[in-house]
Amino acid sequence: MSLFKYYPSNPKKLDPEMEKRIFIHSLLFSLVFVLAFWIVEIIEQTTDLSFVKFGVYPRHINGLQGVLFSPFIHSNFNHLISNSLPFFILLFMLVYFYRRISYRIFFQMYFWAGICVWLVGREAWHIGASGVVYAMAAFHFVSGIIRNDVRLLTLSTVVVFLYGGMIWGMFPINPDISWEGHLWGAVSGVVLAFYYRKYLIRREKFDWETEEEEEEESNSNQSQLPVEEQEEEESHSNQLLSPFSEQSQKGSELRDEFPKENESRTDLF
């Protein structure tokens, strides 16, 4: 999309209007998915239909369709509510910060999480968007550490603070929970974070970051001065100190003369 081709060469000159459009686009894209989840669940609950057979059933051909449809299917409203908010927040962050490659990252997470569950999961129906949620949470956390970016590191901290308890969902503690979906979703997020580690995210730098860079540049410039210039500076400093050194030499000569007079007087007596 042309909307995501906006990468300013000078981070200090951002286009507020374009940034606003990208922000709104990220909100709408995330909101569309969450609304689709709710529409499917409302239809299932109000019509007594069951969409469970559209989930992932590992190593069965009829369960392969769940790779595409399982994130839209939930067991009840509590299951849906627990996935809606983290899915919305994490997808918004993904689209807003990664822009041009955000769709590629998202759909790779989406399909890889489902395919891995189909290959190695238990023979049961696996439904829900939690696998994709785990994938996005792991991606944001690892990517923020790899890039050493202030904003992404902050987002990583928020993810750990809000969803740190999600780590227990990757272990076979509760047989009613698809821990395989959680585990392989997180694995796919970590792998993609390393795969896209060289992708640059341009942003406007904070004042304290620019001050540190200026100090580093000035220090490097001073260390790279030619030897002749350094010798000239040293000779100039020596010239400034020479009058004081001459006076100190004269003072020492006078101090040396007084003991000689004292010695001559003692000889007379």
Side-chain angles (χ1 to χ4, degrees):
M1 296 179 64
S2 60
L3 182 64
F4 291 145
K5 291 181 180 179
Y6 171 64
Y7 293 101
S9 57
N10 185 2
K12 295 182 179 179
K13 296 181 180 179
L14 298 176
D15 186 356
E17 186 62 28
M18 180 61 72
E19 288 292 320
K20 181 180 179 181
R21 289 174 58 192
I22 295 173
F23 181 85
I24 295 173
H25 178 88
S26 304
L27 284 176
L28 293 177
F29 183 76
S30 307
L31 186 61
V32 166
F33 266 89
V34 175
L35 286 177
F37 295 163
W38 279 86
I39 291 172
V40 171
E41 184 62 24
I42 290 172
I43 293 174
E44 188 176 15
Q45 295 294 334
T46 56
T47 59
D48 293 331
L49 295 175
S50 178
F51 296 147
V52 173
K53 291 186 177 181
F54 288 95
V56 176
Y57 200 91
R59 296 175 297 281
H60 287 72
I61 298 299
N62 61 346
L64 190 58
Q65 62 184 352
V67 174
L68 179 62
F69 298 117
S70 62
F72 293 89
I73 305 167
H74 294 83
S75 58
N76 49 51
F77 281 111
N78 291 331
H79 186 201
L80 174 60
I81 292 171
S82 64
N83 284 335
S84 295
L85 183 60
F87 188 95
F88 176 81
I89 294 174
L90 295 171
L91 182 56
F92 166 78
M93 294 192 307
L94 180 67
V95 177
Y96 181 76
F97 288 108
Y98 292 87
R99 302 187 181 185
R100 182 167 53 88
I101 63 169
S102 60
Y103 293 113
R104 192 189 314 168
I105 296 172
F106 172 72
F107 287 112
Q108 284 177 346
M109 285 191 242
Y110 189 101
F111 287 108
W112 275 115
I115 290 172
C116 290
V117 172
W118 186 83
L119 290 173
V120 300
R122 291 170 294 167
E123 290 190 353
W125 293 106
H126 298 258
I127 58 175
S130 55
V132 184
V133 171
Y134 272 77
M136 291 189 291
F139 177 85
H140 283 300
F141 178 72
V142 176
S143 181
I145 296 174
I146 293 174
R147 297 172 186 279
N148 197 23
D149 184 278
V150 177
R151 299 178 308 170
L152 297 180
L153 284 172
T154 304
L155 293 176
S156 300
T157 305
V158 172
V159 169
V160 172
F161 179 77
L162 294 179
Y163 309 115
M166 293 170 60
I167 190 173
W168 301 111
M170 295 187 292
F171 297 97
I173 298 174
N174 188 345
D176 295 331
I177 295 177
S178 178
W179 62 270
E180 300 98 322
H182 301 168
L183 175 62
W184 289 107
V187 170
S188 64
V190 172
V191 171
L192 290 172
F194 279 98
Y195 182 79
Y196 289 102
R197 67 186 183 278
K198 295 182 180 180
Y199 176 76
L200 298 177
I201 299 179
R202 293 187 175 91
R203 64 180 177 87
E204 185 174 1
K205 295 183 178 180
F206 299 104
D207 294 336
W208 59 269
E209 290 179 302
T210 55
E211 290 176 358
E212 289 181 356
E213 290 181 356
E214 290 176 357
E215 290 179 359
E216 291 177 357
E217 289 179 358
S218 61
N219 293 332
S220 62
N221 291 332
Q222 290 178 359
S223 62
Q224 294 176 358
L225 284 174
V227 178
E228 295 179 356
E229 293 183 3
Q230 292 180 359
E231 291 178 353
E232 290 179 359
E233 290 182 357
E234 291 177 357
S235 62
H236 181 66
S237 61
N238 293 331
Q239 290 176 1
L240 292 176
L241 295 173
S242 59
F244 298 98
S245 61
E246 291 177 358
Q247 292 178 1
S248 60
Q249 291 176 359
K250 291 180 180 179
S252 61
E253 292 175 354
L254 293 173
R255 286 193 298 270
D256 292 338
E257 291 177 355
F258 287 109
K260 292 179 180 179
E261 295 177 356
N262 294 331
E263 289 177 358
S264 60
R265 289 176 183 176
T266 52
D267 292 339
L268 291 173
F269 289 101

